[in-house]
Amino acid sequence: MQQETQPIYVVGDVHGQLKRLEKLLEEVHLIDHKHHWCGGQSTLWFMGDFVDRGPDGIAVVDLVMRLQKEATAAGGMVASVLGNHEMLLLAAYRFGRRSTGLGSNFISRWKMNGGNRKDLASLTQTHLEWLAQLPPMAFVEDHLLLHADATFYIKYGRTIDEVNATFSKLLHRSDALAWEELLEEFARRGAFYHALEGEDIARRFLNIFGGRRIIHGHTPISAVLGEQPKKVTAPWVYANGLCVNVDGGIFLGGPGFVHRLSPVA
Ligand SMILES: [Mn+2]
C-alpha cells in the first residue's frame, strides 16, 4: 500500500569498482558513511555485471548481498538481474580449462573478457549460489529490466518466468555446450539501436514480455554515442522512448550514476 510510493532506483554495470559504487549510493542516501543501508523502504535494482574488468568484483557482490539483507530488514529491497559477466565467472569456476569446442576454454574466455583472478579465488559457496539464482529478467513497475540490449532471451522462454526458469535450470547443470551457447548469445548487443528497425524490435520485444520500457545495461553509453566516458552522468533514452540504457561505463572511467526509475522527479 505504502510500498507504491517508495522510490525505485537502478544502478548499471559496476565491474568491480567498489569505491565508485559506495560513493554513488552514499550520494543518493541509500547507504550511510559506514556503508550500511539507510534507504528505508526504497528499492534498488542492479543491472548485473558486478564482476570482471575491475579490481574488486567479489567485494562488490559482498556489499550487494549485505545491503540486500539490511534493506529487507528495513522493509526495502535490493535485487539484481543476471549479467553475462556473472555467467562468465561461474563458467570459469565450474568448467575451468574444459574446452568450449571453439578452440578455446572457459578460463581463457573469462580472462579475455576482463576476468580477475582475485574474483575467481575469492568465490565461496554462498557467492556461487547467490550468483546462480539471479534472474535474467524482471518486471518493475511497468519496466522490463534485463542486462543485455539483445533479443536472445526470447529463445529461452516467452514469459519472464519462463526465461528465468530456463536460465536457472541451465545455471544449475553442467551442460558445457548449453553454457557455451548462452555465453555466446549473452555477448550480443545493440539490438534496439538500429536506426530503422530498433524501435520496432523493442516494441515487439515489449509486446512479448510486457512493460512500457526496456531498462538495460551491458553497453556503455559512451561507446554508443562516441562520447568521453567521463561526461556520461545520466541514462540514455532511445528507440523513441522505448529503451533506457543505464550503463555509465564505470570501468572505462565514467563516474556512473544512480537512476531513479520511479516516482519520476
Ligand atoms: Mn554485460
Side-chain angles (χ1 to χ4, degrees):
M1 299 137 269
Q2 268 258 293
Q3 204 70 19
E4 286 172 46
T5 56
Q6 296 297 324
I8 301 173
Y9 299 89
V10 173
V11 170
D13 315 34
V14 180
H15 281 304
Q17 300 291 340
L18 179 67
K19 300 282 170 233
R20 177 80 345 234
L21 174 62
E22 288 168 346
K23 189 163 183 291
L24 287 171
L25 296 180
E26 258 191 85
E27 280 169 2
V28 294
H29 309 294
L30 285 175
I31 64 174
D32 61 24
H33 66 285
K34 286 181 173 168
H35 306 148
H36 289 290
W37 180 259
C38 64
Q41 292 174 283
S42 301
T43 293
L44 170 60
W45 271 94
F46 287 92
M47 299 308 298
D49 278 7
F50 295 116
V51 298
D52 298 348
R53 304 201 194 286
D56 299 305
I58 292 304
V60 169
V61 172
D62 281 331
L63 173 67
V64 173
M65 287 172 68
R66 176 168 60 75
L67 291 180
Q68 190 169 49
K69 284 187 192 138
E70 293 177 1
T72 302
M77 182 176 138
V78 170
S80 179
V81 290
L82 175 81
N84 58 312
H85 283 272
E86 278 72 56
M87 253 203 92
L88 281 161
L89 177 63
L90 288 171
Y93 180 88
R94 187 180 277 253
F95 300 111
R97 300 209 174 274
R98 193 195 294 189
S99 166
T100 57
L102 298 172
S104 185
N105 67 68
F106 287 95
I107 292 268
S108 300
R109 174 189 277 261
W110 164 72
K111 274 197 199 156
M112 245 174 45
N113 284 280
N116 179 342
R117 286 208 158 276
K118 196 173 91 181
D119 286 348
L120 190 57
S122 28
L123 273 174
T124 65
Q125 196 57 39
T126 313
H127 295 128
L128 294 167
E129 280 163 22
W130 190 82
L131 293 169
Q133 57 79 43
L134 294 175
M137 280 185 151
F139 193 73
V140 182
E141 289 213 343
D142 226 19
H143 296 84
L144 183 61
L145 271 59
L146 60 158
H147 174 70
D149 44 338
T151 57
F152 70 90
Y153 295 94
I154 291 171
K155 290 193 194 171
Y156 294 83
R158 304 296 283 189
T159 65
I160 293 174
D161 286 347
E162 250 180 56
V163 173
N164 290 348
T166 310
F167 268 67
S168 174
K169 247 184 247 162
L170 192 149
L171 285 169
H172 288 92
R173 272 206 313 251
S174 287
D175 183 345
L177 203 65
W179 277 69
E180 173 64 24
E181 205 177 297
L182 179 48
L183 280 171
E184 280 287 317
E185 292 175 322
F186 220 157
R188 298 209 181 121
R189 63 183 79 247
F192 314 121
Y193 296 150
H194 193 278
L196 295 172
E197 294 167 349
E199 186 187 331
D200 194 40
I201 291 170
R203 183 167 290 116
R204 277 187 282 158
F205 197 80
L206 284 166
N207 280 342
I208 293 167
F209 292 108
R212 194 166 50 83
R213 260 185 172 180
I214 294 165
I215 313 285
H216 71 80
H218 191 53
T219 305
I221 295 167
S222 60
V224 186
L225 300 181
E227 270 178 6
Q228 281 181 36
K230 280 187 173 25
K231 292 192 174 159
V232 177
T233 56
W236 177 48
V237 182
Y238 67 101
N240 201 17
L242 295 182
C243 298
V244 183
N245 182 335
V246 294
D247 184 357
I250 293 178
F251 83 91
L252 298 168
F257 53 83
V258 179
H259 172 49
R260 195 165 91 172
L261 201 64
S262 93
V264 176

